[in-house]
Amino acid sequence: MYVHYAEKCAKFWTSIVVAWFSICLISLRSISLKDLPVFLFLILFWLYGLFNLGVFIISHLVKPTIPVSSKIWSSPKVAVLYCCYNDFSEKSLRSILSLSYSNKEIYILDDSTNEEVRRRVDEFAGKHGIKVFRRKGRRGWKAGAINDAIKKIEADYFVLADSDELFPSDFIEKALGYFDDPEVAFVQANHTCYNKDENEWARVMGIGIDLHWEHYQEYRNRYGLVQILGHGVIIRGDLLKKFGFPETVSEDLALTLILAKHGYRGVFAKDII
């Protein structure tokens, strides 16, 4: 069923795009060469607007499938991987230290080149008994850092954390409850901006980002492909070790597609925020 809905959505939006660009190609006959860049920009602008309008309408007319988190009866080993590159945040690490799940280990994957940042990482890690992974060079960027680290860590599940991320204390307990279905490879948590009161720009951008999570992600549980969004996600250890992250800029999307190709799927957990 999951693949069926994903294919239906892909065919629907492909049809929209083909129809839209067919109309645009016909219109090109009356466009001068000097106006072509503006015309192409407007094509993409309106197409993106059409897509957003469609998502907005669907989000109000169609009731999404809401996954249910079950109670967990075991305590699998969970490794939390905090990734940073010259942007270490004590505030974020303290929220990870506050996670209430007991059978967990926290690791800092530090690719920082700034010596002051590296010193702060070492000081914080030493104070709280956190292991730090560093490597020579930055092969594969974040994906490479994760792939190198998981080879040295034994865990049933891996949580990925970005450097500025804040976690609710019950993140792991809630997320583990979604893995009852053997097809579920990962659980992507909900997000909201916590710095919208800093200035007007942050407030406006925060609204846009919050809408992305509220409307787009929830409906992917039924009508599309839930995507790994790089952070605030927990992934099955056996699958992450088997496939690894493709060492590219969009490593999260790439791994999502690999998992889907092999019959696995993700869950968007709106209640974990």
Side-chain angles (χ1 to χ4, degrees):
M1 180 177 288
Y2 175 74
V3 174
H4 170 68
Y5 279 119
E7 289 178 348
K8 280 186 69 175
C9 288
K11 290 177 181 178
F12 172 76
W13 287 112
T14 300
S15 301
I16 293 293
V17 170
V18 170
W20 179 258
F21 276 101
S22 297
I23 295 171
C24 292
L25 286 173
I26 294 173
S27 303
L28 273 174
R29 298 176 181 176
S30 58
I31 301 296
S32 64
L33 190 61
K34 69 175 183 178
D35 294 329
L36 186 59
V38 175
F39 179 72
L40 292 175
F41 170 78
L42 290 175
I43 287 175
L44 296 175
F45 180 81
W46 283 106
L47 181 62
Y48 184 69
L50 182 65
F51 173 74
N52 280 277
L53 179 62
V55 171
F56 180 79
I57 293 173
I58 290 172
S59 70
H60 284 78
L61 296 180
V62 181
K63 187 175 181 180
T65 298
I66 303 175
V68 178
S69 178
S70 305
K71 185 175 181 179
I72 56 174
W73 299 100
S74 61
S75 298
K77 182 69 174 293
V78 177
V80 182
L81 308 183
Y82 173 85
C83 306
C84 63
Y85 172 61
N86 295 329
D87 51 1
F88 170 74
S89 168
E90 287 193 17
K91 183 178 181 180
S92 177
L93 257 299
R94 292 189 186 282
S95 80
I96 294 174
L97 287 170
S98 298
L99 290 171
S100 57
Y101 188 77
S102 57
N103 192 17
K104 69 179 184 297
E105 292 288 342
I106 302 170
Y107 302 87
I108 299 176
L109 279 50
D110 183 28
D111 269 0
S112 299
T113 54
N114 184 292
E115 289 301 324
E116 173 59 22
V117 174
R118 289 165 68 100
R119 184 195 64 77
R120 289 175 53 216
V121 169
D122 290 338
E123 182 179 326
F124 188 92
K127 183 178 179 180
H128 296 282
I130 300 174
K131 185 169 183 178
V132 178
F133 284 111
R134 290 197 175 100
R135 55 202 183 120
K136 295 180 180 179
R138 297 194 63 227
R139 187 208 78 252
W141 304 285
K142 178 181 176 182
I146 294 171
N147 289 339
D148 287 351
I150 62 177
K151 294 175 184 176
K152 307 169 186 175
I153 301 171
E154 291 300 323
D156 299 302
Y157 296 91
F158 288 91
V159 174
L160 304 185
D162 269 358
S163 60
D164 59 349
E165 191 158 16
L166 302 181
F167 283 81
S169 61
D170 58 354
F171 173 90
I172 295 176
E173 293 94 327
K174 281 188 174 181
L176 289 177
Y178 287 99
F179 286 99
D180 278 353
D181 186 340
E183 290 186 359
V184 174
F186 64 89
V187 175
Q188 176 62 62
N190 197 358
H191 285 68
T192 187
C193 290
Y194 58 78
N195 63 336
K196 286 182 286 189
D197 57 347
E198 287 186 1
N199 52 57
E200 185 63 17
W201 175 253
R203 186 187 70 82
V204 174
M205 289 299 295
I207 292 172
I209 292 172
D210 286 351
L211 286 172
H212 163 82
W213 289 96
E214 180 181 352
H215 293 292
Y216 281 61
Q217 301 307 318
E218 184 178 8
Y219 292 88
R220 287 173 178 261
N221 280 321
R222 181 175 180 183
Y223 295 104
L225 186 70
V226 174
Q227 180 186 337
I228 298 172
L229 293 168
H231 53 90
V233 62
I234 182 169
I235 307 174
R236 276 175 47 183
D238 59 335
L239 297 178
L240 185 56
K241 284 178 174 285
K242 178 179 180 180
F243 299 112
F245 274 105
E247 296 183 1
T248 180
V249 175
S250 300
E251 76 284 344
D252 43 10
L253 175 58
L255 180 56
T256 301
L257 296 176
I258 290 172
L259 291 168
K261 181 180 177 181
H262 287 83
Y264 297 101
R265 65 186 179 88
V267 169
F268 174 67
K270 188 177 182 179
D271 62 317
I272 306 177
I273 186 169

